[in-house]
Each structure stands twice: as structure tokens, then as C-alpha cells.
Amino acid sequence: MKMRRHRVFLLCTVGLCVISFLHYYKALHYVSLLRELSAPYPNIKSFIMVSGFFWREKGVAATPISPASPEEAPPLPALRQGVVKQSLGDGGAEVIDPGALDAKIGGPGVALEVRAMKEPEPPHPWEKPEENQLGDSPKEKRHEEQHVNHIEPDLKKLLVQVGKGPLPDPIKSMGDLHTRTHQLQDDKTPYFVRTSRGAYCFKQGTEMATIKESSVKTGAGATRDVVEVGKAVQRKTLGLQQQTGKVSKGKGQPMGSGKQLVKCVCRPGWHGPYCGVPTMVYHSNLPTKERLKPREVPRRVINAININHEFDLLHARFHELSQAVDLFLICESNFTAYGERRPLSFLRLLLNGTYDYIRHKILYVFLDHFPDGGRQDGWIADDYLRTFLTRNGLSRVKGARSDDVFVINDADEIPAQEGLLFLKLFDGWTEPFAIHMRKSLYGFFWKQFGTLEVVSGCTLRMLRDVYDGDGIKLRRREYYSLPGFRKYENDTGHILVQWSVGSPFHFAGWHCSWCFTPEGIYFKLVSAQNGDFPRWGDYEDKRDLNYIRELIRTGGWFDGSVQEYPPADPKEHMYAPKYMLENRKRYNYLLENPYKHKIQTE
């Protein structure tokens, strides 16, 4: 009898647990159980598909705590914080001038000098590194004169004055550039066209034919509807016409009598009734694909990044995303992530006209101080860079709407244009969203297995209400672990479902890690924050340029290991951003291994 009571009690307990779980799961809707259970364990990785979702790589969420360093951070200039009234409604954002940043840096600009570093002094990142005293063989030197003399052009501009005196201080010419506001404007570009028969098609994704071509093919079972754009009729949209009265009745196809269904004919890589869904979204885990509809007024897309010396990658980003992104927030600091002073190289290039082709879409964010505790714990500095970028940058944006899109990336993460254009032009997707990026090391020739999947964006209202306006929380915190997510769902009527643009087999961008010349890798080594151990820039042999060249040649890592890489064909889809492929002479050091000849001669 006692055993029966125990069984009944056990069954009731299990039943209550199941009911509680179902209630909780219903609240979370599409969030997978395994992903929820694995939240406390950030290092768990899996490629298992659960309920149509891939796990997000949690490694980026880990925040290791480093031991305190006895070194003191440099003195911090004062920062006068402005008052920002965050009111991102449909009517726009009311912004109060954040004030001027106190940027008092004594002396002229920082000169690029050649001198040996002595331990235990911290490395000076903007000194030109010394070559290995042993040097290379004459044969290697001759080859390197042809293939290795490819320092990034923008970085080269800054190196030409080595030995000619200090570079001019750009702060003196900056004026109010770091406090200006930016008024967002609506995008008037006619992304969609409507045919005379009523089809509504995305121009970039729809097959277009000239009138002469279409008149020849009209007897092939497909008609071309004339596109009426103003008074000019130059091209026709390829439309597919079906007479439902002649189509056999099938599941989900009601019989019609003489009615015609006109559809857009999609180009390869585009899908959906409007031909506006790119393959990277079509094959994603977005659970609301059937509810996607074009917007009447496009969203504005804001892309925020921190910049160090990734100038070639920055040009590729600007050209890849110039059509999709309405505003680039570019944050630069006169301190490295390690706490050393550094020149404002991007500002200098911005002022000398290097980025004039995109300057109207750039809002410059200047971080003139190093955060307290950043030298002892490098993750404090790493997080603070993104927090300052987001809050200072968005406080100076006027005319923003609550459903505009915010995307934050590292400088070596370049989203594909098609994915951001989809977010800009369609309603019906959920938030927040991650991006699956093709991974590569030192250049696109060393392709790595898998993808880098990082939560990268959401609407401005979700950023404000759920993530407290902090970009680092967007990248590293699960939305359902934050206190504001339930209220946001109730207020907006939106169900928050994290999804990813792209998939492990359909890339939606590029992550090119350590993609520099040997000199650029040297700068990255000595500028790295003091928290991501081992800090390879602290080891003199790892800073040797010949050692770095050997790593690029073999695809090895600083710990002596050599990975296995899948084959990479420069002709493969999504090998590299289009702008790089179109400018091979400039980007050849990233598209082809500049040291592969050593493999053939050994």
C-alpha cells in the first residue's frame, strides 16, 4: 500500500514537472530546450539541429577573469558625459548634445620609430618591429621583394614618415567631428518594382529582360510584364503567368476559372514570391519565413565597429555594405586595448580624404580615455570599447525609429550585403539575430572548418529596452536572461526568437582573423588586451617578423600547433568580399598565400 502511495506521489510530481515545463516552454516558444539547458555552460558546442535551430557558439560569451597586474594604467583624461534622453519611438529620438570630449594629449603626434624593446617594459605597438638578425636567404629575399612588399596602402601612408619627424596630430584638426550629430534620412531607393499585371518584385533578385528579348520569348509559356517606373519603360520584369483553370487541382491549390497568377521569376540565389529572400535567409533557421512581407518604407541600418588598424578590411566593408547600411558608427581610441597610447590613424585618414566616397555615412566616435581596471583585467577594456561605441554613437543619431536595425561587429567581421538588405526591406523576421560567417586565418586562403556564429543585431527598441543600450550585452548575453525581455514582448506583441542569418553551409559574411601583413600582425600582437591569455605579444620570439611569415605560410598558430584546413578554391562562392576579388592587386596578400612558394622549393 505504501508502495502504491509512493508511486502515485511520484507520478503526480512528474506530471507537475511536465506541466510546468510545457508552460515555460510555451512562453519561450521557439527557444530550444537544449540551448536553454546549456546556458550555464558557455563552452558546450554542437552542430545538432533541434527544432530547426543551430546552437550558437557560446565561447564568445565567456568572460575569463585575469589575475591583476601590478602595472598601473596611464592617467585618464576627464570625460564630460552628456545627458541623453532615450526616446526611440516612431517619431524619432530626442537627443541632447552630449558635449565635448576633453582630449588633451601633450606634445606633437606620435612618430613611428625603429628601436629595440627591452623587457619588462610593455611593448610599444606603433614602433616598427626589427627584423630577425639572421635574415633570409638571398633567394627568399628576391621573392619577398616581389610578393611581400604589400603593406596595406593606408598603413603605408602612415609609415612613409618614419625618420622624417613626427606625424601631425589629427586631434588639432578634428574640431567637433567627435561630437557632431547625424540626421538619419529615409532611403528613397526603389528596391521593388510593380508590373502592369500587379506583381511586386525585388529588382536585384528578379530576372530582367529587355523589351526586344521578351517579345521573342513570349510564346514559351512565360509572359513579361512591362515595368512602369515613372514614364520610362526600358526593361521588363520576367513574370510567370499561370491560368488556374488549366492547372490540375492539388493540395492547397483551389480551382479557378480564368484567373491569372503573376509571379516574379527569381534569379539564382533569390527566393520567395517577391524574389527578395536571399539564399542565406532561405536556408536559415528563421521560423517565420512564411510571414515575410516587403515594407513600404525601408528600415535604416546602423553598423557599429571599433577600429584599430584594419584599414583594408574597412574599405572592403564600406564597399560591400554601402547600399544596405545607412550609417557606420566607427569608434577609435588613442589607447590600445592594452592601455598604451597610440596614434589616431583612422582619424588621420578620414581627414585626408581617404574615405570621402563614404564619409557622408560615417559618424566618428572618439574614446579619449582608458577604463579603470582595464590594464589589470583586459576584458574590462574589451567590453568597455563596445559599450562606449554604442551609447556615445547612438546618442548622437537623430531621427531614429524604434524598428531601425542595429548591427555591431568586430572590424574583422564583414556581413554580406544581401543579408542586411533583407533585414532592411522585409517585415516578419524575429530578433535578435546572429550571422554565420565563413572563418579564415591570416587570409581567405586558410579556410577554417565551421562558421563563426555571433549574435550581432536587433532593432533599436530591443537594444534599448532589453540590452540597456549596451552593444556588448547584445553580443554576449542571452536575451531571456535579462530582466527587460518579458516586458518588451508584452509591450510590442513580438515573440523574441533568436535566429541566424545563414547556416553552417550557407555563409552570410566573412570573419578573417589576423588578416594582415606580418607588420600588421605585429601591431595586433602588441596591442592585444591583457586578459585573453596567453598574450602572445609578451613573447619576443612571437613578435619576430620571420616567425610571423612562417605562420602565414603554414597556417600554424602561436602555440606551435598546425590546424587541418579544408580545401579553399578562390572561385568558390563566398570566398571573399566582392570588392576584394575585383581589386586583386591590392588584396592579393589576403586572397593567395604570399609565402606558398617556400612549400614548393623545400
Side-chain angles (χ1 to χ4, degrees), residues 176-346:
D176 65 343
L177 186 64
H178 59 300
T179 60
R180 294 177 189 172
T181 59
H182 181 92
Q183 179 71 41
L184 281 178
Q185 303 292 336
D186 283 334
D187 190 347
K188 305 288 187 181
T189 306
Y191 293 103
F192 292 86
V193 292
R194 187 176 295 280
T195 69
S196 59
R197 295 183 180 274
Y200 195 57
C201 305
F202 179 57
K203 291 166 64 175
Q204 183 176 339
T206 305
E207 287 287 359
M208 305 291 287
T210 62
I211 296 178
K212 183 177 180 180
E213 291 173 348
S214 64
S215 62
V216 175
K217 301 178 182 179
T218 51
T223 62
R224 277 71 175 172
D225 296 326
V226 178
V227 179
E228 299 176 356
V229 184
K231 296 182 179 180
V233 183
Q234 299 177 350
R235 296 177 66 84
K236 295 182 177 181
T237 304
L238 223 58
L240 179 64
Q241 175 182 312
Q242 295 180 349
Q243 294 186 0
T244 57
K246 297 181 180 180
V247 178
S248 59
K249 185 176 180 180
K251 185 176 181 180
Q253 289 184 336
M255 292 291 292
S257 55
K259 291 186 179 180
Q260 295 181 343
L261 297 177
V262 180
K263 297 181 180 180
C264 308
V265 176
C266 299
R267 290 174 174 167
W270 296 92
H271 310 269
Y274 311 99
C275 295
V277 179
T279 295
M280 61 188 67
V281 174
Y282 185 76
H283 290 286
S284 71
N285 59 351
L286 176 63
T288 57
K289 295 174 187 174
E290 70 282 356
R291 298 203 292 268
L292 298 175
K293 292 183 179 179
R295 290 173 56 89
E296 293 184 4
V297 179
R299 292 184 177 89
R300 280 76 59 87
V301 178
I302 300 174
N303 187 206
I305 65 168
N306 291 95
I307 190 71
N308 187 18
H309 61 285
E310 302 88 352
F311 302 127
D312 272 4
L313 293 178
L314 191 62
H315 276 296
R317 172 187 299 273
F318 287 156
H319 284 88
E320 175 72 21
L321 300 179
S322 59
Q323 181 183 2
V325 171
D326 297 87
L327 180 63
F328 293 96
L329 299 180
I330 310 295
C331 180
E332 185 179 33
S333 176
N334 55 348
F335 290 90
T336 69
Y338 188 65
E340 293 288 305
R341 287 191 180 272
R342 60 177 294 273
L344 297 174
S345 303
F346 172 75

Side-chain angles (χ1 to χ4, degrees), residues 38 45 149 151 192 239 260 285 330 345 366 369 394 441 485 504 525 539 584:
S38 67
K45 300 178 182 179
N149 188 22
I151 297 178
F192 292 86
Q260 295 181 343
N285 59 351
I330 310 295
S345 303
F366 175 45
H369 60 280
L394 290 180
L441 181 66
F485 100 91
L525 279 172
Y539 300 88
R584 280 190 167 273

